[in-house]
Amino acid sequence: MSDHTVTEARGGDLPELILKFAATLSGLALFGVMLIVTVSVIFRYVLNAPILGSQELIQIGMGVVVMLAMPYTALTGKHIQVDILDNHLGKTGGFAADLFARAVGIYVLWLLIGKAWEKMWDAIEFGDVTNMIEVPIWIAYAAIVFGMGFSALVMVLQIYSRIRLGVAGLG
């Protein structure tokens, strides 16, 4: 659904600053993944010397990239949106559908956070690492918990903002 009151849902400067920092870390991780891919391709096909464990770093790195960027993307409304029904529902229907979609999103994220939380602690307890270069797997689960947790929190703030502003607050 359309995100008409993003600024109202931010809840202050500190949360936005934390999420901007996470998004910046995501960008740096993406740059690192791109470097690894580039160097790996050059080493593999030009020098015929593949880099051991580069695939593992790329897989963990992409999980970190997506999960650290997700909350700020939700906050700013820059994620992909499909507004097929908005014109047909009218303001009140769009308002209700927006609240419903966010509530369902929060519920689904809550379920996923619970599973990722359990997997993270299992990975820490058992010392789970990747096969080749032994990168701790809990890092990926922690990024999932952080990203989804803060995304759910952003949606809670957006629901609060929309209810406070009401149907008339939609622009």
Side-chain angles (χ1 to χ4, degrees):
M1 294 295 139
S2 296
D3 196 2
H4 303 289
T5 56
V6 170
T7 55
E8 288 292 320
R10 291 188 177 175
D13 293 333
L14 184 59
E16 184 177 357
L17 188 62
I18 291 168
L19 298 184
K20 268 187 184 178
F21 180 71
T24 301
L25 288 178
S26 172
L28 292 172
L30 179 60
F31 183 73
V33 167
M34 290 180 355
L35 283 177
I36 291 168
V37 169
T38 302
V39 171
S40 181
V41 167
I42 291 170
F43 273 54
R44 178 179 300 273
Y45 295 108
V46 176
L47 304 175
N48 198 26
I51 298 174
L52 181 68
S54 62
Q55 191 67 26
E56 293 175 351
L57 291 173
I58 292 165
Q59 289 171 343
I60 298 281
M62 286 309 298
V64 169
V65 166
V66 170
M67 289 298 134
L68 290 183
M70 196 166 89
Y72 188 71
T73 304
L75 179 71
T76 58
K78 301 295 183 188
H79 48 74
I80 297 171
Q81 297 180 32
V82 180
D83 296 335
I84 297 171
L85 300 176
D86 281 2
N87 293 334
H88 302 292
L89 294 175
K91 268 195 166 189
T92 304
F95 176 77
D98 189 39
L99 294 179
F100 177 74
R102 289 178 196 281
V104 169
I106 292 165
Y107 177 70
V108 170
L109 286 175
W110 178 257
L111 295 176
L112 293 171
I113 291 164
K115 292 295 182 190
W117 182 262
E118 290 172 13
K119 296 290 285 177
M120 180 184 74
W121 286 108
D122 283 348
I124 291 170
E125 180 182 347
F126 296 111
D128 292 347
V129 294
T130 59
N131 291 332
M132 300 209 74
I133 58 174
E134 299 185 351
V135 176
I137 293 177
W138 69 264
I139 295 169
Y141 289 119
I144 291 168
V145 169
F146 174 86
M148 289 186 180
F150 275 96
S151 293
L153 182 61
V154 165
M155 284 194 272
V156 167
L157 292 173
Q158 289 171 337
I159 286 175
Y160 170 75
S161 173
R162 278 165 180 65
I163 289 172
R164 191 169 59 82
L165 294 174
V167 176
L170 296 177

